[in-house]
Amino acid sequence: MHLRAPTAKFFGFWLMTLLAGTTASTSWADEAFQSPVLELTQVNISKAGLLEQDFVLHFRISNPNESKLSVRGLAYKVHLDDIELVSDGESRQSFTVPARSYQEFEVPVTTNLWRRMKPLVKLLKKAEDPIPYRVSGEVKTGRLFGRKVPFFNSGELTKGEMLAGNP
């Protein structure tokens, strides 16, 4: 019984130190935390078959905070005009966005747009018109104790940004 007290104290001290260090390293611990901004910057069509289409989505995540932002993943939806390109996308890429900076990253996507192929081709043929997009979802942040930060962004992609082939 005499040996258990120092072990319990040591474990308690170790646990408190771990929690304090983890809390300090997570972005949700900061009261002035500002949500990151996620933008779709480009959509590359890698392969367009009849039943399967491969895209590479290019994203930019901006960190408006004074401390770095740890990103553990992303759950997202993407619409081009009124066409749902991705309904339940997920990326498990982990990276760190420096304070007051941004990070660009790519997400490969495989879809089956068979039912929406005709409107998509029609949309892509409008060479002079930019293509409106909407992207929404959650960014998973933090390390051990993170949080899911919702996002929504919309904008326009030019045909050049849409049809650029993936090298």
Side-chain angles (χ1 to χ4, degrees), residues 51 58 64 117:
L51 297 176
H58 296 257
M117 189 61 73

Side-chain angles (χ1 to χ4, degrees), residues 11-129:
F11 179 72
F13 176 74
W14 176 81
L15 184 61
M16 293 303 289
T17 303
L18 175 69
L19 290 175
T22 305
T23 301
S25 68
T26 58
S27 51
W28 60 268
D30 185 7
E31 289 180 16
F33 176 76
Q34 296 177 28
S35 295
V37 177
L38 192 97
E39 299 172 88
L40 181 65
T41 59
Q42 189 173 357
V43 177
N44 291 37
I45 302 172
S46 302
K47 184 176 84 174
L50 188 59
L51 297 176
E52 189 175 88
Q53 301 80 36
D54 294 333
F55 297 92
V56 178
L57 304 176
H58 296 257
F59 289 103
R60 176 185 295 128
I61 185 167
S62 300
N63 177 10
N65 297 293
E66 294 292 334
S67 59
K68 65 184 178 181
L69 176 71
S70 297
V71 175
R72 295 183 296 121
L74 175 71
Y76 59 92
K77 294 180 181 188
V78 178
H79 287 80
L80 295 176
D81 202 15
D82 290 327
I83 302 167
E84 187 176 66
L85 184 65
V86 180
S87 61
D88 58 351
E90 186 174 351
S91 171
R92 295 187 180 190
Q93 293 181 34
S94 293
F95 53 89
T96 301
V97 184
R100 297 220 176 262
S101 188
Y102 66 90
Q103 179 76 35
E104 294 182 348
F105 63 101
E106 300 175 359
V107 177
V109 175
T110 300
T111 63
N112 182 349
L113 298 173
W114 172 247
R115 293 183 182 163
R116 295 177 291 275
M117 189 61 73
K118 198 174 195 178
L120 184 61
V121 170
K122 191 176 183 180
L123 180 68
L124 294 176
K125 283 187 176 180
K126 296 180 186 177
E128 66 282 350
D129 297 336

Side-chain angles (χ1 to χ4, degrees), residues 132-148:
Y133 76 85
R134 295 184 319 271
V135 60
S136 61
E138 296 177 328
V139 177
K140 298 171 190 167
T141 65
R143 291 191 182 132
L144 184 59
F145 299 108
R147 73 179 194 186
K148 296 177 182 177

